[in-house]
Amino acid sequence: MMGEDEVVDLCRDLIRIDSRNAGDNAGPGEREAAEYVAGKLAEVGLEARILESDTKRANVVARIEGSDPSREALLLHGHLDVVPFDAGDWKVHPLSGEVAEGCVWGRGAVDMKDMDAMILAVARQRVAEKRKPPRDVVLIFTADEEAGGDYGAKFLVDKHPEVFEGVTEAIGEVGGFSVTHDNRRLYLIEAAEKGMAWMRLTAKGRAGHGSMLNSENAVTELAEAVARIGRHEWPVRLTPTMKALFDEIGPGKDPEEIVKELGSLSKMIGAVLRNTANPTMFSSGYKANVIPQSAEAVIDGRFLPGYEEEFFATIDELLGPNVQREFIQNQAALEFAFQGGLVSAMVESLAQEDPEGTALPYTLSGGTDLKAFSTLGIRGYGFAPLKLPADLDFSGMFHGVDERVPVDSLRFGTRVLDRFLDLA
């Protein structure tokens, strides 16, 4: 049994399992996907536990024994939930797992049932062939990553810390994928990710009749604050990770000019040159002729490693004295040095499969389950290796319409992960 021969079918099977997560705990949950994963591991004799955090909110954990159990353990993690979709917008149904135009299509094809399938394929092959990795490898497939991880990564860290016994390093999403820049194929490994501050803003005012003068209108107060935040131009702040990236691909050039050269990737990379704060929700009132007593809005704030204090000081200045904020989610920024044995293993495993590629670090504009795992002292990177066509808008696939992953990329990633485990 070769992992790269079955990875496509594993990915298709996972996509066909509805595990949508709208953040309200009312969806189908991850239980069916968890049972599938646990069953596939059991087929080759690897015991897996399903840990439920709530009804149908399920996580899978397993451990592969290494040849040297005295070494610190390595974590491979992926999440089983996906974001919602409107099937009418897609060329194929998002739960079809259809193979067309050389790709596997469906919700989760890149975020992140592709990596789940690659982890499964490699684990199944190695266990079946009795090929032990150099050290213990812990496999974790989580629930709820798309809504902050309360039922997934955070639940495991808080309620099942024994799962992480001996674990000091980890790999997961979003990194190891290739981009083409200036005729060079670059593999971007996530070495940092922005912090997350989802904030609910509230303004209080004086209720009254819509036809009368009112100088304490909560809607006006909040709208002005939201507009100030939404239009604020945040300054460029070059972190060590991004400096390393730009020094390699455009030495001496203005970072913002380099970003313009990155095509479809520019939105994601451009977002990690600075802090960001985007208004996403606004609600108030209950009748056209009633001035409401309060108004609420939501801001999706993301701050760079090392710039959290500056971020919140700016937000509070923009809010003004009459608007209050509270956290919906507040998660730290992460940044790890792009050096050491684990990094060398990632770089070398990619080089063995693609000698013409260059592996470089980058910062993720979003967040991953690593935020929760890092609270246990685990150092981690985004490494879901995919060799991609130069014209594929890969970053646009995340949470996008017509999400798909090339078949050849899945097979490539499976080979790289297998090599990586021997080197790590």
Side-chain angles (χ1 to χ4, degrees):
M1 175 184 63
M2 293 296 292
E4 65 172 301
D5 291 334
E6 67 169 359
V7 67
V8 172
D9 287 337
L10 292 171
C11 185
R12 297 181 72 192
D13 287 348
L14 285 166
I15 288 171
R16 289 168 179 152
I17 299 171
D18 187 358
S19 55
R20 279 175 283 179
N21 179 6
D24 55 7
N25 203 28
E30 300 85 2
R31 180 77 199 201
E32 185 181 351
E35 289 176 348
Y36 174 86
V37 169
K40 285 296 181 181
L41 294 175
E43 284 180 1
V44 294
L46 186 61
E47 180 183 357
R49 286 194 296 160
I50 296 179
L51 301 174
E52 267 196 345
S53 52
D54 202 347
T55 305
K56 299 187 293 185
R57 308 308 303 273
N59 305 270
V60 185
V61 299
R63 183 179 286 253
I64 301 174
E65 183 180 339
S67 56
D68 184 1
S70 68
R71 287 188 58 190
E72 296 168 333
L74 172 68
L75 169 63
L76 271 61
H77 61 96
H79 62 83
L80 297 171
D81 61 324
V82 298
V83 295
F85 54 78
D86 184 344
D89 294 335
W90 288 56
K91 292 181 181 179
V92 302
H93 194 281
L95 297 178
S96 68
E98 182 175 328
V99 175
E101 300 174 14
C103 295
V104 180
W105 295 60
R107 177 59 86 218
V110 302
D111 188 14
M112 64 170 296
K113 290 180 175 179
D114 58 340
M115 178 61 165
D116 293 335
M118 290 191 290
I119 293 172
L120 261 183
V122 171
R124 280 168 53 84
Q125 179 178 348
R126 296 185 74 101
V127 172
E129 295 175 351
K130 296 182 170 53
R131 285 195 297 124
K132 288 186 176 183
R135 52 172 161 164
D136 281 11
V137 173
V138 175
L139 309 178
I140 295 182
F141 300 84
T142 62
D144 200 38
E145 191 274 344
E146 296 292 2
D150 288 343
Y151 296 99
K154 292 180 183 177
F155 163 76
L156 294 174
V157 166
D158 293 341
K159 303 298 183 182
H160 293 278
E162 76 282 355
V163 167
F164 304 92
E165 183 181 354
V167 174
T168 58
E169 297 179 315
I171 64 163
E173 59 173 355
V174 178
F177 58 92
S178 71
V179 298
T180 301
H181 174 261
D182 197 21
N183 295 317
R184 296 175 64 193
R185 191 159 47 249
L186 310 176
Y187 288 90
L188 301 186
I189 295 173
E190 186 219 302
E193 54 187 56
K194 294 178 86 172
M196 182 172 72
W198 292 349
M199 297 170 286
R200 180 177 290 107
L201 310 183
T202 304
K204 301 289 186 181
R206 175 165 50 86
H209 198 290
S211 69
M212 299 182 184
L213 297 176
N214 189 322
S215 61
E216 300 173 52
N217 189 312
V219 177
T220 302
E221 193 74 45
L222 184 62
E224 289 175 344
V226 168
R228 286 194 296 269
I229 291 172
R231 294 195 178 103
H232 181 69
E233 294 186 9
W234 297 85
V236 170
R237 296 286 186 256
L238 210 55
T239 60
T241 295
M242 296 308 294
K243 186 176 187 303
L245 174 64
F246 289 135
D247 283 350
E248 174 64 29
I249 65 176
K253 292 184 66 174
D254 180 353
E256 293 194 279
E257 291 302 314
I258 298 175
V259 167
K260 293 176 183 177
E261 300 170 359
L262 296 177
S264 61
L265 197 65
S266 61
K267 288 183 180 180
M268 185 166 71
I269 298 299
V272 294
L273 292 184
R274 49 175 56 82
N275 295 327
T276 59
N278 284 310
T280 56
M281 301 174 70
F282 197 110
S283 62
S284 65
Y286 50 87
K287 196 171 187 294
N289 63 346
V290 178
I291 298 172
Q293 190 173 4
S294 66
E296 291 187 352
V298 173
I299 299 290
D300 183 346
R302 309 284 174 145
F303 50 90
L304 291 165
Y307 293 94
E308 180 176 1
E309 185 176 332
E310 177 185 77
F311 173 79
F312 286 113
T314 304
I315 288 292
D316 289 339
E317 182 180 349
L318 293 169
L319 285 178
N322 299 321
V323 178
Q324 306 302 312
R325 64 174 170 88
E326 61 179 333
F327 289 120
I328 300 170
Q329 288 278 353
N330 182 25
Q331 298 183 10
L334 303 175
E335 187 164 32
F336 301 101
F338 196 64
Q339 60 188 32
L342 191 69
V343 170
S344 295
M346 290 185 283
V347 172
E348 179 60 24
S349 61
L350 283 168
Q352 289 179 4
E353 286 295 330
D354 184 5
E356 296 179 357
T358 302
L360 296 170
Y362 89 107
T363 301
L364 178 66
S365 60
T368 73
D369 281 336
L370 181 60
K371 290 190 186 300
F373 301 146
S374 69
T375 64
L376 298 176
I378 295 172
R379 169 177 174 252
Y381 298 85
F383 188 62
L386 297 170
K387 182 181 179 182
L388 299 168
D391 59 350
L392 182 70
D393 180 10
F394 183 69
S395 61
M397 301 290 178
F398 287 83
H399 300 186
V401 173
D402 293 335
E403 186 179 348
R404 60 197 183 276
V405 62
V407 168
D408 289 344
S409 300
L410 284 171
R411 295 171 65 90
F412 171 87
T414 303
R415 295 194 303 271
V416 171
L417 278 184
D418 188 41
R419 291 182 182 276
F420 165 76
L421 288 183
D422 283 332
L423 298 168

